[in-house]
Amino acid sequence: QVQLVESGGGLVQAGGSLRLSCAASEHLFGISTYSMGWFRQAPGKERELVAVISAGGTTYYVDSVKGRFFVSRDDAKLTAYLQMNSLKPEDTAVYYCAAKAGTLGTAINSYRYWGQGTQVTVSS
């Protein structure tokens, strides 16, 4: 059974940094061929895309996090990362990682595997 497990969330003051990790189970066969996405969902809002990294290392970021968040992956460790710098209160949300086979995608419904989420809270 495929599993994605996020970690690294927590409470941080505005301007601080956090690094989220997303560890995939070995059952995610061929994870090196998957695009890995990071999404977030704030209370009362829809889940939204934050950043994506393709199997080949191409990245995509939504405008609100460009220059502050950086996505990376280590396929040998079956892990994707989201480095979040200069955090703002509006970044407060539950952050999810997800995986999809094939090319980089931005549509939420194209992602097949999802983690359980990790809470990020940014205080002002």
Side-chain angles (χ1 to χ4, degrees), residues 9-80:
L11 174 64
V12 64
Q13 289 188 333
S17 298
L18 284 173
R19 188 176 82 154
L20 305 184
S21 298
C22 172
S25 67
E26 293 180 356
H27 295 92
L28 190 56
F29 177 75
I31 190 174
S32 62
T33 65
Y34 282 68
S35 291
M36 302 297 294
W38 286 95
F39 297 80
R40 65 186 179 187
Q41 187 166 18
K45 295 187 177 181
E46 294 186 352
R47 192 171 299 187
E48 64 174 358
L49 175 69
V50 176
V52 179
I53 184 166
S54 72
T58 301
T59 58
Y60 171 87
Y61 301 92
V62 294
D63 287 345
S64 60
V65 306
K66 282 182 180 177
R68 300 189 299 123
F69 289 14
F70 300 93
V71 60
S72 61
R73 62 192 294 158
D74 185 337
D75 291 336
K77 296 182 178 179
L78 302 181
T79 302

Side-chain angles (χ1 to χ4, degrees), residues 5-8 19-23 38 79-82 97 118:
V5 180
E6 302 96 336
S7 62
R19 188 176 82 154
L20 305 184
S21 298
C22 172
W38 286 95
T79 302
Y81 304 95
L82 184 67
C97 71
T118 186

Side-chain angles (χ1 to χ4, degrees), residues 66-119:
K66 282 182 180 177
R68 300 189 299 123
F69 289 14
F70 300 93
V71 60
S72 61
R73 62 192 294 158
D74 185 337
D75 291 336
K77 296 182 178 179
L78 302 181
T79 302
Y81 304 95
L82 184 67
Q83 177 67 42
M84 305 186 296
N85 302 324
S86 302
L87 282 161
K88 304 175 181 180
E90 51 263 44
D91 294 319
T92 295
V94 178
Y95 283 71
Y96 300 88
C97 71
K100 69 177 292 291
T103 58
L104 184 149
T106 59
I108 289 178
N109 59 10
S110 67
Y111 284 80
R112 178 176 181 183
Y113 303 108
W114 288 83
Q116 82 291 347
T118 186
Q119 177 70 47

